[in-house]
Amino acid sequence: MQFLLFLLVVLPLMLRSRGDLKTGKCPKLKPVYVDQASIGGRWYELKRADTLGEPGRRCNFANYTLVQAGSDSYIRVNNTALNGDSYRTSINIGKQFDPSIAAFNFDAGKWAAVVSTTAPNTFILFADEHFVLLYSCQGVGSILHMELAWIMSRERFPENREDRSAKVESVLSSFGITVKLDFVNQENCPPIDPVAEKAPEKKEIPFLLQLLSQSRPQVHW
């Protein structure tokens, strides 16, 4: 039975997931509060877990926008990275169920097709005017979970980045999270096309949500 479970569930996740696959459930977390003034705008990837979703990519940054659509709250994430000699941009939308905490649900299709949940799977565990710590965890029943983490910085090259990022990273260990983070290559980054940073339009949100409901978690500009 255990071997059959490995073949049907664990092996596909190992081959297709973007996160570190570990045993047990996702940890209990205490996300912080953020608003558009504190989280909005551009953030550079300072450190990240090495994932299948970003192999060899550098000069990564993201633009965050908190969006209100009727009575629902969302976060719009415009991710951009240099892939070879050109930038690649993707848009993701995460639903925020409680505006008082930074906990969001992004479509589980970005993890693996066999995983599906509406529970929050991406959390902001630390935020100040200089750094943001994001952690994503997708549970697979009660036996496995996949996790990712990023440290984002307002500056491409923050001063004393080793010491300052270590303090931010220590928040992960306070929750028992042991994911390994590596510095992102931000050297010699060419200028970015302004279209990659365009502001969201209200009509864009329903369109993207419709795509998400069809298990298409990314829209490429």
Side-chain angles (χ1 to χ4, degrees):
M1 183 65 182
Q2 291 182 343
F3 181 70
L4 181 61
L5 179 65
F6 177 82
L7 290 179
L8 295 179
V9 178
V10 180
L11 185 58
L13 288 174
M14 292 176 64
L15 295 176
R16 300 171 62 179
S17 71
R18 296 188 179 189
D20 288 342
L21 187 63
K22 296 183 178 179
T23 58
K25 297 181 180 180
C26 291
K28 294 183 178 180
L29 305 169
K30 292 183 179 179
V32 299
Y33 168 79
V34 295
D35 56 19
Q36 178 60 22
S38 61
I39 196 67
R42 179 190 282 196
W43 294 87
Y44 296 96
E45 278 192 14
L46 181 62
K47 300 186 75 173
R48 69 164 182 255
D50 191 17
T51 74
L52 296 178
E54 299 176 299
R57 296 187 182 183
R58 62 188 187 87
C59 303
N60 305 52
F61 65 90
N63 283 281
Y64 299 145
T65 308
L66 293 178
V67 179
Q68 193 73 24
S71 59
D72 296 321
S73 301
Y74 301 90
I75 187 169
R76 175 196 192 261
V77 183
N78 184 339
N79 291 300
T80 302
L82 190 64
N83 188 15
D85 58 358
S86 62
Y87 281 102
R88 181 178 176 84
T89 296
S90 64
I91 310 295
N92 283 298
I93 298 290
K95 184 172 183 179
Q96 184 179 25
F97 295 93
D98 183 350
S100 68
I101 57 173
F104 309 92
N105 174 261
F106 287 86
D107 190 278
K110 78 188 183 88
W111 300 86
V114 297
V115 177
S116 179
T117 179
T118 58
N121 53 23
T122 301
F123 311 87
I124 298 178
L125 301 181
F126 175 88
D128 65 12
E129 60 182 317
H130 304 289
F131 300 101
V132 166
L133 173 64
L134 295 102
Y135 173 74
S136 288
C137 187
Q138 182 65 68
V140 185
S142 60
I143 59 172
L144 296 170
H145 67 274
M146 292 174 289
E147 59 185 5
L148 294 168
W150 303 262
I151 296 177
M152 311 295 288
S153 170
R154 281 294 190 189
E155 299 177 293
R156 190 184 294 275
F157 301 106
E159 294 183 1
N160 302 320
R161 68 171 193 169
E162 287 82 3
D163 292 339
R164 296 170 73 188
S165 64
K167 292 180 180 178
V168 176
E169 193 170 346
S170 68
V171 175
L172 292 175
S173 60
S174 71
F175 292 108
I177 301 168
T178 58
V179 62
K180 181 179 182 296
L181 302 183
D182 297 309
F183 281 105
V184 177
N185 184 359
Q186 295 284 357
E187 299 286 345
N188 302 315
C189 298
I192 180 68
D193 188 331
V195 72
E197 298 186 274
K198 67 179 184 178
E201 301 178 4
K202 288 185 177 180
K203 63 181 181 181
E204 170 190 315
I205 303 303
F207 169 69
L208 288 173
L209 293 177
Q210 181 181 5
L211 292 178
L212 290 175
S213 68
Q214 299 170 355
S215 297
R216 295 174 57 187
Q218 291 189 333
V219 178
H220 298 289
W221 254 242

